[in-house]
Amino acid sequence: MIGDKGMMGGSTPMMLLSLLEEKERYGYEMIRELEERSEQAFRFKEGTLYPVLHRMESAGLVEAYLKTGETGKSRRYYRITKKGRAVLADEKKQWEKFCGSVERVIGGAVHAHG
């Protein structure tokens, strides 16, 4: 599990939008997928995830709807909106730039001093 919640918290909306860009999902499904893909580094409780989803919904990045599954149980599903896709594309560009900058600093690049 990632220890720095600040680092993780800032990237949570981007990770959720990335999952929703692939397909519509319900909350617990997103929790499981984040844990699996991150090899258990990202572990969310429902009480942590849903406030983030609700903020994203209020911002117009995702929309929620109820859907009845095979078991007959109604679940709240989320799908990414057009605005959410635009925000995700922008955040991915910023993230790649940030990661590249960090890598240049910590990667031990040798610079000649003149």
Side-chain angles (χ1 to χ4, degrees):
M1 186 159 154
I2 301 295
D4 185 345
K5 297 238 187 272
M7 186 182 296
M8 187 173 81
S11 58
T12 299
M14 182 174 56
M15 291 189 295
L16 294 173
L17 287 172
S18 293
L19 291 180
L20 294 172
E21 188 177 43
E22 297 171 3
K23 70 176 194 173
E24 299 170 4
R25 300 174 191 265
Y26 58 93
Y28 186 67
E29 182 181 8
M30 286 184 259
I31 290 171
R32 284 196 332 254
E33 192 67 23
L34 286 170
E35 286 181 5
E36 186 178 308
R37 290 192 195 186
S38 70
E39 297 177 345
Q40 310 307 311
F42 301 126
R43 301 176 102 168
F44 290 88
K45 293 181 172 65
E46 290 182 35
T48 306
L49 181 75
Y50 287 108
V52 175
L53 286 168
H54 293 152
R55 282 193 299 275
M56 291 168 58
E57 187 177 8
S58 295
L61 305 179
V62 300
E63 54 190 24
Y65 63 95
L66 290 177
K67 179 179 170 184
T68 304
E70 303 87 43
T71 62
K73 184 179 178 185
S74 185
R75 296 183 193 260
R76 190 173 177 88
Y77 277 77
Y78 295 86
R79 66 177 147 237
I80 192 169
T81 63
K82 187 176 179 180
K83 180 180 179 182
R85 288 181 195 283
V87 167
L88 177 60
D90 186 53
E91 285 191 7
K92 280 183 177 180
K93 284 180 201 164
Q94 290 179 40
W95 181 256
E96 288 166 8
K97 186 175 180 181
F98 172 77
C99 289
S101 298
V102 170
E103 187 57 38
R104 285 189 295 280
V105 172
I106 67 172
V110 178
H111 297 285
H113 295 282

